């Protein structure tokens, strides 16, 4: 039953001649299981299925509350990221990347 606490999708449509990061992202972050979101959002799912670049993640928290803000994938500037487990040196990595965390994960 890993990953049943929150779920997210982040993706972009590519535009010929433009870098992927210059296109607008589509993002959904949901507290609850992926299967629950998928069952309730068929129209939304079709929108994500039509994207060229897509990242999905389910979360079983090791730290931080179960909230939309803590769901993955999460934005880092123009990028989206997801990870499993704890990143022990995340504070140091974020300082080097000049990134301010917006959640507890």
């Amino acid at each position: 039953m890993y990953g049943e606490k929150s779920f997210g999708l982040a993706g972009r449509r590519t535009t010929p001649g433009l870098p992927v990061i210059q296109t607008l992202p589509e993002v959904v972050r949901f507290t609850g299981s992926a299967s629950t979101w998928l069952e309730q959002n068929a129209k939304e799912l079709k929108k994500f299925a039509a994207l060229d670049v897509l990242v999905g993640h389910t979360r079983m928290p090791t730290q931080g509350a179960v909230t939309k803000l803590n769901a993955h994938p999460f934005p880092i500037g123009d990028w989206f990221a997801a990870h499993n487990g704890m990143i022990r040196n995340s504070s140091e990595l974020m300082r080097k990347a000049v990134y301010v965390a917006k959640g507890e994960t």
Side-chain angles (χ1 to χ4, degrees):
M1 296 303 293
Y2 288 108
E4 292 294 307
K5 299 297 181 184
S6 63
F7 161 77
L9 290 172
R12 295 178 191 266
R13 187 173 321 282
T14 59
T15 303
L18 288 179
V20 171
I21 63 171
Q22 290 184 2
T23 60
L24 293 176
E26 299 283 349
V27 182
V28 65
R29 293 161 79 188
F30 177 76
T31 55
S33 70
S35 58
T36 299
W37 185 88
L38 294 169
E39 289 169 2
Q40 297 173 354
N41 293 280
K43 186 177 178 182
E44 251 333 82
L45 181 58
K46 287 180 182 179
K47 177 177 67 175
F48 281 95
L51 298 176
D52 300 308
V53 179
L54 184 64
V55 174
H57 191 275
T58 60
R59 179 171 182 254
M60 182 68 164
T62 53
Q63 77 178 47
V66 177
T67 64
K68 283 185 182 182
L69 188 60
N70 288 338
H72 298 194
F74 51 90
I76 298 178
D78 290 330
W79 298 87
F80 288 92
H83 64 86
N84 291 323
M86 293 175 61
I87 300 175
R88 302 254 182 236
N89 65 338
S90 62
S91 296
E92 177 186 342
L93 293 172
M94 287 188 283
R95 272 194 308 277
K96 288 180 181 179
V98 191
Y99 171 72
V100 178
K102 295 175 179 69
E104 301 168 298
T105 62

